[in-house]
Amino acid sequence: MPIDYSKWKDIEISDDEDDTHPNIDTPSLFRWRHEARVNRMGEFEQKKSENKEHLQKSQQELTTLKNKLKSADQKAEKAKLQGEVDKLEKQFADWKNKEEELEKQERLAPWNVDTICRDGFRQNYGEQSG
């Protein structure tokens, strides 16, 4: 049975590279690459948090409008509210798709020194007081 090494083919390594030009200060190059990588990761996390906020806001607005629609009396008011609900459902679906796209990007992003190791479990099995 052949071993699949494709899991490690996209690891982004900067500290082990010896192929720098003699006129380039190697520690500075590594520092610049690290800063660029950290900035990219920060921007991605910011996109994720903004998307999450928009998703929650959209969900709250949708819930509020659906409750108003249930309590509406007149047909004209119900038609207007239904149009707004349809619009918000479309917007919510767009934010949900954006969230799935961001999760896919995160899953397919190349590994690097900062992301190669993550906690699989955050549970303390030690003695608990109380």
Side-chain angles (χ1 to χ4, degrees):
M1 181 168 142
I3 298 174
D4 182 22
Y5 291 103
S6 65
K7 182 177 183 178
W8 294 281
K9 74 175 182 164
D10 291 327
I11 297 176
E12 187 179 315
I13 300 174
S14 64
D15 295 340
D16 296 340
E17 296 173 357
D18 292 329
D19 60 348
T20 59
H21 193 275
N23 293 340
I24 296 177
D25 182 33
T26 306
S28 297
L29 179 65
F30 293 158
R31 186 175 58 248
W32 295 330
R33 286 181 181 169
H34 179 73
E35 288 173 3
R37 186 174 60 243
V38 168
N39 288 341
R40 279 194 315 267
M41 289 170 52
E43 290 171 2
F44 185 77
E45 289 299 321
Q46 184 179 2
K47 283 182 188 178
K48 276 179 47 177
S49 65
E50 287 175 1
N51 187 62
K52 187 176 182 179
E53 289 173 11
H54 286 293
L55 195 62
Q56 290 174 347
K57 182 180 174 186
S58 180
Q59 179 68 34
Q60 289 174 350
E61 290 175 2
L62 190 60
T63 305
T64 304
L65 274 179
K66 283 185 178 181
N67 290 336
K68 284 183 182 179
L69 182 64
K70 287 180 184 178
S71 65
D73 297 333
Q74 301 172 353
K75 282 190 174 185
E77 186 180 349
K78 282 187 177 185
K80 180 183 175 188
L81 287 173
Q82 185 61 43
E84 291 180 20
V85 166
D86 292 341
K87 180 180 167 187
L88 277 176
E89 284 177 343
K90 183 181 180 297
Q91 188 180 40
F92 180 75
D94 290 343
W95 286 117
K96 201 69 164 164
N97 289 339
K98 179 78 170 176
E99 181 183 43
E100 291 172 4
E101 181 182 318
L102 288 172
E103 287 174 359
K104 182 179 179 183
Q105 284 180 359
E106 183 178 27
R107 194 175 58 249
L108 297 176
W111 290 359
N112 58 50
V113 173
D114 300 323
T115 61
I116 203 161
C117 183
R118 293 185 183 167
D119 290 342
F121 302 97
R122 286 190 172 239
Q123 188 172 2
N124 186 3
Y125 291 106
E127 186 176 321
Q128 296 179 1
S129 60

